[in-house]
């Protein structure tokens, strides 16, 4: 046997061995699902063109983004870099900025649970990995009996879905009324900072499969209160270093609560012992649990709490025969419920940490206090300097609105002013909210009553209301990323120990979902690929030119062998090809004008030119893109950087793909897109 034959034999043998091993693993009762995904675990991570920091930065990814690993390579310092595809280009990320998803050893019980819930395979691949890391988590499928495309269209209706005005262009809509083609600008909605979201970014945030990772999964967590998971210590850690890590004054005022919440509290007042000694003649509250016997749960702050009678007992202690006390084991402070069962007294008059006020309010409302804090951070940031909560607004001084209820621009008011108008108006949920304490209690009750108790009990459903009787219209925010952002904030509240507890996640599944997971749109630059004018010198087109009309007709005399096509761009950042002197055949000529936007989107305009009275074969001739080497054939467009092969092209046009367009010479298209390889499909259009 020759050396070459031996080498081939060894290679074939290894190949057969690998195949046999692979199939034996698949057939094993403990088969392993190999994963080639990784999750980004840091914010704004640089993505590079090669394996090392000396290579150029070609993009950024943030925590929770998922990549599909295609390989790995070490740099000169020994750091491993994973390769993956980013916008169809090879990209690299260093290993310490990602967590590679674990291989999953078959858990048949869990597999049965996933199948019984009806999760598709493209959900299962991510839920398996989460189960491997967090075996106590419970995943419930929420079947949405609507096509995914129908939901997308509903959410794009009107101004239901917005993005910040400084977002990249592919995140912003170019639909009618949501983009001004004449000025290449986006009109504002709900204040100057928000514009309409694009279909692409809306699809991305609506697709639950994009968020089945340990960061963003929490937008699907059910938001009822759980004393075993949500604790004062956890809240303190969550707010550390933020404006909520401070003290506020409590007035000790009464607050009317919804029946469902008061019943929840009353139902907890059973089988409670031993009975503490209480002076019923004194007005005040009972402080229960959260500290060793005889020790104040407020520590050094307790001496600042005045005007009430308190009893402090040990953790896990209960109270009996006291129908006016509210009990919730493990919570630091509880207060008096009135005899009518509908009035809840605030924390007694004194100074309290924000955490105690928030925890008390959320227990009363039966909502997750971590989720509530996530909402506050989403709306107010972590510095808390907005006039929504400082009490310094000139039109509505001394009023507060922590989660921006009713905060939208309109009726002559800014979004903040409308939110404070709601807070200042006497009405439901303990308004006016003229103290921070009242605003927190009222907001918790509002969210519980209006959303959680109505089935919108996850951040996802709070943003995308795809259930209930008022679908699409009863949505808390217009921010397209609101649910995912709040979920990411919420995930930070849980340390590794708490994450290991049982958490229940309700994950939507739509009919006819896209066959592949929707990708995050990354394209930027002006999308304007329309013409301001189009004509043929000495002739009139039919119909009259309109920027949105892409096909025109023209009849010229028989003796006309060429025409001059001229056009101007709406956007000076775009490029144009196909104008200038066009030679005509003795037949029907289809002349194509290509406009390439700054973001590389292409649009074709077509002029069908017929030579009048021609007798002969009237078969159609596709003239294609004009590429004569005489520069005089190209009508000059102001401020367009260069001319390449008579095709006017911005210097940074980059590579691209022509989604649709007329048949044309591939080399011509390469010249238009800076000699980059592109593909083209027949048929004019966008």
């Amino acid at each position: 046997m020759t050396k070459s034959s031996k080498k081939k034999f060894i290679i074939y043998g290894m190949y057969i061995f690998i195949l046999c091993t692979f199939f034996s693993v698949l057939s094993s009762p403990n088969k392993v699902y190999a994963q080639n995904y990784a999750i980004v675990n840091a914010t704004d991570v640089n993505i590079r063109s090669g394996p090392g920091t000396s290579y150029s930065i070609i993009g950024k990814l943030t925590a929770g983004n998922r990549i599909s690993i295609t390989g790995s390579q070490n740099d000169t310092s020994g750091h491993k870099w994973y390769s993956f595809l980013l916008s169809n280009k090879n990209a690299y990320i260093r290993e310490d900025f990602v967590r590679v998803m674990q291989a999953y050893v078959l858990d048949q019980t869990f597999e049965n649970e996933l199948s019984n819930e009806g999760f598709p395979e493209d959900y299962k691949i991510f839920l398996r990995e989460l189960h491997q890391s967090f075996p106590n988590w419970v995943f419930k499928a929420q079947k949405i009996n609507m096509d995914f495309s129908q939901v997308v269209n509903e959410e794009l209706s009107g101004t239901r879905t917005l993005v910040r005005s400084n977002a990249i262009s592919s995140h912003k809509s170019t639909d009618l009324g949501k983009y001004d083609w004449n000025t290449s600008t986006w009109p504002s909605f709900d204040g100057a900072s928000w514009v309409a979201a694009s279909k692409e970014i809306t699809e991305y945030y609506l697709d639950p499969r994009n968020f089945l990772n340990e960061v963003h999964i929490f937008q699907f967590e059910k938001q009822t209160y759980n004393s075993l998971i949500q604790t004062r210590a956890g809240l303190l850690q969550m707010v550390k270093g933020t404006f909520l890590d401070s003290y506020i004054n409590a007035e000790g005022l009464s607050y009317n609560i919804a029946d469902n919440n008061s019943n929840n509290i009353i139902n907890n007042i059973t089988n409670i012992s031993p009975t503490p000694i209480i002076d019923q003649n004194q007005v005040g509250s009972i402080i229960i649990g959260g500290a060793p016997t005889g020790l104040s749960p407020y520590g050094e702050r307790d001496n600042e709490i005045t005007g009430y009678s308190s009893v402090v007992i040990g953790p896990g202690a209960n109270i009996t025969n006291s129908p006016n006390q509210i009990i919730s084991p493990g919570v630091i402070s509880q207060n008096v419920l009135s005899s009518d069962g509908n009035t809840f007294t605030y924390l007694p008059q004194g100074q309290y940490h924000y955490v105690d006020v928030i925890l008390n309010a959320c227990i009363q409302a039966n909502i997750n206090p971590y989720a509530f804090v996530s909402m506050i951070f989403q709306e107010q940031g972590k510095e808390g300097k907005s006039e929504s909560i400082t009490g310094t607004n000139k039109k509505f001084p001394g009023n507060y609105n922590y989660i921006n209820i009713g905060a939208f621009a309109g009726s002559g008011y800014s979004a903040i002013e409308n939110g404070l108008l709601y807070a200042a108006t006497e009405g439901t949920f303990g308004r006016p909210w003229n103290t921070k304490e009242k605003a927190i209690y009222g907001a918790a009750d509002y969210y519980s009553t209006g959303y959680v108790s109505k089935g919108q009990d996850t951040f996802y459903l709070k943003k995308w209301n795809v259930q209930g009787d008022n679908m699409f219209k009863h949505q808390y925010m217009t921010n397209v990323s609101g649910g995912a952002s709040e979920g990411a904030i919420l995930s930070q509240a849980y340390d590794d120990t708490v994450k290991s507890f049982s958490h229940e996640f309700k994950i939507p599944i739509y009919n006819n979902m896209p066959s592949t997971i929707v990708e995050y749109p990354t394209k930027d630059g002006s999308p304007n690929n329309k013409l301001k004018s189009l004509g043929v010198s000495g002739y009139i087109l039919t119909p009259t030119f309109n920027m949105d009309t892409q096909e025109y007709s023209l009849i010229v005399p028989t003796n006309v062998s060429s025409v001059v096509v001229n056009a101007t761009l709406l956007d000076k950042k775009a490029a144009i090809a196909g104008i200038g002197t066009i030679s005509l055949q003795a037949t029907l000529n289809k002349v194509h004008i290509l406009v390439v936007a700054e973001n590389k989107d292409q649009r074709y305009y077509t002029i069908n030119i017929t030579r009048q009275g021609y007798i002969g074969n009237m078969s159609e001739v596709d003239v294609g893109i004009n590429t004569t080497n005489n520069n005089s054939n190209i009508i000059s467009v102001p401020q367009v950087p260069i001319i390449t092969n008579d095709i006017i092209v911005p210097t940074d046009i980059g590579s691209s793909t022509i989604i649709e367009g007329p048949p044309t010479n591939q080399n011509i298209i390469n010249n238009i897109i800076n000699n980059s390889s592109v593909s083209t499909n027949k048929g004019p259009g966008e």
Side-chain angles (χ1 to χ4, degrees):
M1 184 180 291
T2 65
K3 289 183 179 180
S4 176
S5 299
K6 287 181 179 180
K7 187 175 181 181
K8 289 180 180 178
F9 178 79
I10 292 171
I11 292 173
Y12 291 151
M14 291 177 64
Y15 179 69
I16 293 170
F17 173 77
I18 291 170
L19 281 179
C20 292
T21 304
F22 175 75
F23 285 113
S24 67
V25 167
L26 288 182
S27 60
S28 167
N30 295 316
K31 66 180 177 182
V32 175
Y33 290 83
Q35 306 284 358
N36 65 336
Y37 291 100
I39 303 296
V40 179
N41 59 14
T43 302
D44 291 335
V45 179
N46 289 331
I47 306 305
R48 298 192 178 265
S49 60
T53 54
S54 61
Y55 290 89
S56 61
I57 297 172
I58 59 174
K60 289 181 181 290
L61 292 177
T62 192
N65 287 146
R66 182 187 298 114
I67 64 172
S68 180
I69 297 172
T70 58
S72 64
Q73 190 174 339
N74 289 348
D75 62 17
T76 55
S77 301
H79 290 294
K80 180 186 288 186
W81 291 74
Y82 291 111
S83 60
F84 63 101
L85 291 178
L86 180 68
S87 299
N88 295 319
K89 294 181 181 179
N90 287 327
Y92 293 82
I93 186 170
R94 209 168 72 184
E95 63 175 336
D96 47 335
F97 293 116
V98 297
R99 182 176 63 81
V100 179
M101 296 171 73
Q102 301 178 35
Y104 169 65
V105 180
L106 179 68
D107 179 339
Q108 193 58 57
T109 300
F110 180 66
E111 289 293 323
N112 292 340
E113 291 173 356
L114 293 181
S115 296
N116 291 337
E117 286 293 320
F119 283 112
E121 184 61 30
D122 51 9
Y123 280 70
K124 289 180 180 179
I125 59 175
F126 304 114
L127 298 181
R128 286 177 184 132
E129 193 278 335
L130 288 172
H131 176 70
Q132 189 83 347
S133 302
F134 307 100
N136 293 320
W137 286 8
V138 177
F139 306 108
K140 297 292 184 182
Q142 183 181 25
K143 305 291 180 60
I144 308 298
N145 191 27
M146 286 183 290
D147 285 354
F148 183 78
S149 59
Q150 177 188 351
V151 175
V152 171
N153 290 335
E154 289 284 357
E155 292 293 355
L156 290 173
S157 176
T159 57
R160 290 174 181 166
T161 306
L162 306 178
V163 295
R164 292 196 177 276
S165 56
N166 61 356
I168 62 175
S169 64
S170 57
H171 294 187
K172 297 185 279 192
S173 175
T174 56
D175 289 347
L176 183 65
K178 298 178 180 180
Y179 179 70
D180 189 338
W181 293 91
N182 288 302
T183 60
S184 299
T185 59
W186 286 268
S188 299
F189 301 99
D190 196 12
S193 299
W194 297 92
V195 300
S198 69
K199 180 179 180 181
E200 292 76 14
I201 194 65
T202 301
E203 289 177 327
Y204 173 81
Y205 279 107
L206 265 170
D207 190 343
R209 297 169 295 183
N210 281 310
F211 305 101
L212 302 182
N213 58 69
E214 65 179 84
V215 175
H216 293 109
I217 186 73
F218 286 94
Q219 71 170 303
F220 305 114
E221 185 179 27
K222 296 190 69 174
Q223 293 184 358
T224 49
Y225 173 64
N226 185 335
S227 62
L228 297 177
I229 296 177
Q230 299 134 23
T231 65
R232 182 177 190 268
L235 270 183
L236 282 171
Q237 184 61 35
M238 186 178 183
V239 305
K240 187 176 181 180
T242 73
F243 80 95
L244 292 179
D245 190 9
S246 59
Y247 291 82
I248 62 174
N249 292 321
E251 304 297 329
L253 302 175
S254 294
Y255 173 76
N256 291 324
I257 61 177
D259 288 340
N260 64 312
N261 293 331
S262 61
N263 288 338
N264 177 67
I265 294 169
I266 293 170
N267 289 338
N268 286 329
I269 308 175
T270 57
N271 301 322
I272 315 169
S273 64
T275 305
I277 300 172
I278 303 173
D279 183 353
Q280 298 291 348
N281 295 320
Q282 294 194 38
V283 177
S285 299
I286 310 303
I287 300 177
I288 299 172
T293 302
L295 202 68
S296 166
Y298 290 100
E300 74 279 7
R301 308 300 302 183
D302 191 55
N303 58 9
E304 299 183 23
I305 303 172
T306 59
Y308 73 102
S309 173
S310 65
V311 177
V312 180
I313 54 182
N318 294 313
I319 300 176
T320 58
N321 303 319
S322 303
N324 287 341
Q325 276 103 48
I326 301 169
I327 308 304
S328 184
V331 177
I332 284 184
S333 62
Q334 305 297 337
N335 303 285
V336 174
L337 183 71
S338 68
S339 57
D340 64 7
N342 289 321
T343 303
F344 185 82
T345 304
Y346 284 25
L347 295 168
Q349 184 176 4
Q351 193 175 57
Y352 291 83
H353 197 285
Y354 259 116
V355 157
D356 294 313
V357 179
I358 291 171
L359 185 59
N360 234 27
C362 290
I363 291 169
Q364 171 187 317
N366 192 31
I367 61 174
N368 181 343
Y370 294 0
F372 188 68
V373 168
S374 300
M375 292 167 61
I376 293 175
F377 285 157
Q378 175 74 13
E379 298 295 333
Q380 309 300 339
K382 294 188 176 182
E383 295 184 355
K385 295 182 178 180
S386 167
E387 287 188 351
S388 293
I389 55 173
T390 59
T392 59
N393 182 269
K394 293 181 179 180
K395 293 183 180 178
F396 303 99
N399 289 280
Y400 307 87
N401 192 336
Y402 280 85
I403 58 174
N404 283 342
I405 299 167
F408 57 89
S411 302
Y413 288 125
S414 68
I416 288 176
E417 290 169 346
N418 267 325
L420 291 175
L421 172 62
Y422 178 87
T425 303
E426 186 171 347
T428 54
F429 308 110
R431 290 178 294 153
W433 295 340
N434 48 20
T435 70
K436 296 180 178 180
E437 181 190 25
K438 289 174 69 176
I440 290 170
Y441 274 82
D445 192 10
Y446 174 94
Y447 183 56
S448 174
T449 303
Y451 288 85
V452 176
S453 65
K454 293 185 181 299
Q456 290 177 260
D457 53 356
T458 68
F459 281 144
Y460 183 94
L461 295 174
K462 172 186 164 194
K463 164 56 190 147
W464 312 109
N465 185 19
V466 292
Q467 58 82 59
D469 297 328
N470 201 13
M471 289 191 296
F472 309 115
K473 297 180 181 178
H474 187 256
Q475 300 185 153
Y476 193 87
M477 76 265 290
T478 55
N479 181 1
V480 69
S481 65
S485 297
E486 290 179 340
I489 295 171
L490 178 56
S491 75
Q492 298 169 12
Y494 298 122
D495 60 22
D496 291 340
T497 299
V498 175
K499 276 189 176 180
S500 69
F501 294 166
S502 177
H503 295 260
E504 182 176 333
F505 303 97
K506 186 168 64 173
I507 306 169
I509 301 173
Y510 299 97
N511 295 336
N512 297 314
M513 294 187 68
S515 57
T516 58
I517 300 171
V518 177
E519 291 188 4
Y520 185 80
T522 58
K523 191 160 53 175
D524 200 8
S526 170
N528 198 331
N529 55 12
K530 292 187 179 182
L531 290 176
K532 183 178 182 180
S533 68
L534 174 65
V536 175
S537 296
Y539 301 96
I540 298 176
L541 297 181
T542 302
T544 302
F545 173 76
N546 182 288
M547 72 174 80
D548 297 313
T549 302
Q550 292 176 248
E551 189 155 3
Y552 300 87
S553 297
L554 175 63
I555 299 176
V556 298
T558 305
N559 61 349
V560 174
S561 60
S562 66
V563 294
V564 176
V565 176
N566 50 72
T568 56
L569 297 163
L570 273 174
D571 187 349
K572 65 182 181 181
K573 297 176 182 178
I576 188 171
I579 57 178
T581 300
I582 306 295
S583 297
L584 300 179
Q585 303 297 317
T587 183
L588 173 62
N589 300 264
K590 296 182 75 69
V591 179
H592 305 294
I593 298 91
L594 170 63
V595 183
V596 183
E598 183 188 28
N599 73 348
K600 307 176 188 66
D601 281 352
Q602 292 111 28
R603 178 185 299 268
Y604 281 94
Y605 292 85
T606 300
I607 304 175
N608 300 305
I609 303 178
T610 303
R611 293 175 68 176
Q612 189 178 39
Y614 176 76
I615 300 175
N617 182 9
M618 288 298 293
S619 61
E620 180 180 297
V621 171
D622 198 307
V623 175
I625 301 294
N626 173 36
T627 57
T628 58
N629 290 322
N630 185 345
N631 286 344
S632 63
N633 288 344
I634 298 297
I635 304 301
S636 176
V637 180
Q639 300 184 40
V640 174
I642 63 172
I643 296 179
T644 303
N645 285 3
D646 297 328
I647 308 302
I648 303 176
V649 188
T651 53
D652 61 349
I653 202 71
S655 63
S656 182
T657 298
I658 296 179
I659 305 304
E660 292 182 356
T664 189
N665 184 287
Q666 184 65 52
N667 293 329
I668 296 171
I669 297 300
N670 290 348
N671 287 331
I672 296 173
I673 313 299
N674 273 4
N675 297 314
S676 301
S677 177
V678 297
S679 60
T680 176
N681 298 324
K682 294 183 178 181
E686 290 185 58

